[in-house]
Amino acid sequence: MSFETVRLAGDAVELLDQRRLPEDERYLRLETAEEVARAIEEMAVRGAPAIGVTAAFGVAVELARLPDAELNEEALERTVERLRGTRPTAVNLAWALERMSRALRAEFSAGAPPARVRARSRELAQRICEQDRATCRAIGEAGAELVSRSARVLTHCNAGALATAGYGTALGVVRSASRRGKIRTVLACETRPFLQGARLTAWELARDGIPVTLITDSMGGALMARGEVDLAIVGADRIAANGDVANKIGTYSLAVLAREHGIPFYVAAPLSTVDPDTPSGDMIPIEQRASEEVLTLAGRRIAPPGVEALHPAFDVTPARYVSAIVTERGVIEPPLAEGLARQLSEAGLEAGEGT
Ligand code: MRU
């Protein structure tokens, strides 16, 4: 990968500012948990696994900065709560923070000195980052099996290297399939209003030399009807225990259209995106973002003054529209609930454990 989405550099988190892409490749340097929390809220970094990794680094830099006298369990919990509240839908965020919190609480309980707590926080955050990269590669390899020869692959939003610590989930599958010579083109939905497809998916695929064709969000159905889409693959922000999938707004419509046209609709995500404590999709909290983001385009207002806008950032695709879910442990075919439970249990992650 010729860029890094997020990294720990000394006592700071550095991240590629995704609001500036594709024009500008600029890294932000963040030295406090508050700065990291704002960067997540303002979408300088986004994508479920990437914000989990970033938040874990946020804990590490905050603990590095606090004076010894203030380094205690309360400060840890305050930091974790601030970061956890930044974006509600992506469960990877809560998952990464829970891992950090559990490990560091154990250090405090054991009476570990401040230097030991700090070292442990860096080491664990780094491990979460490296594991995410390895997980994405495994998802890519497993998912590439599902891709037919010379495939035209539709995707929505950005579930790529920019949305993870590297390689990507849905785009990880595309990358692995591309290495096997299977990709004719990736049809990237532009993904209003933040334009993750137009700005980010197009940028990272073009950079890797993978053919990409940009389409507007409303073109998917017509292309499917004309036989110009072979399969669709997206990422996920949270997968409920029954297999319902929360992902970027617009995903649900594409899944229904894919079913109508007999096109496979795949979801690629790490097991950390599966939330066994959420039984079904209607219980997934959907982030409501500022209407301003819909009322403007590239910083310019596009609607008349006084007009209101809705902005649910995610939707839920019922499990019945999902042909298969690809995780780092392999492909899960329907019934999804059983396959998810089996993989979670094999991985030692059960309900109530804050996977
Ligand atoms: O609002 P975003 O850009 O964070 O939404 C991202 C998505 O919906 C992705 O598809 C999802 O997080 C999966 S990323 C591997």
Side-chain angles (χ1 to χ4, degrees), residues 124-253:
L124 182 54
Q126 214 43 281
R127 185 161 359 125
I128 290 172
C129 180
E130 279 151 27
Q131 281 176 349
D132 186 58
R133 283 196 197 111
T135 295
C136 285
R137 295 219 172 239
I139 291 171
E141 288 308 299
E145 300 291 328
L146 298 169
V147 179
S148 47
R149 289 249 144 238
S150 193
R152 294 155 300 177
V153 180
L154 183 109
T155 192
H156 190 60
C157 196
N158 171 268
L162 287 166
T164 60
Y167 206 69
T169 55
L171 296 190
V173 171
V174 165
R175 283 194 165 87
S176 294
S178 170
R179 291 204 175 123
R180 301 181 196 185
K182 288 178 155 186
I183 300 291
R184 191 182 326 173
T185 196
V186 176
L187 297 158
C189 294
E190 64 177 349
T191 322
R192 271 275 290 152
F194 196 68
L195 303 178
Q196 289 95 330
R199 298 186 307 105
L200 309 178
T201 295
W203 179 78
E204 65 165 88
L205 291 180
R207 207 172 159 114
D208 266 11
I210 298 173
V212 54
T213 308
L214 187 61
I215 61 172
T216 68
D217 294 339
S218 47
M219 291 178 187
L223 293 177
M224 289 182 196
R226 284 181 357 205
E228 293 175 23
V229 178
D230 299 304
L231 65 111
I233 185 158
V234 297
D237 281 78
R238 192 184 298 220
I239 301 176
N242 70 346
D244 293 348
V245 173
N247 191 49
K248 181 53 55 193
I249 190 80
T251 302
Y252 167 58
S253 331

Side-chain angles (χ1 to χ4, degrees), residues 18-26 199 203 298:
Q18 299 191 26
R19 296 165 301 184
R20 292 175 173 273
L21 289 172
E23 293 90 8
D24 220 0
E25 290 174 35
R26 198 177 300 183
R199 298 186 307 105
W203 179 78

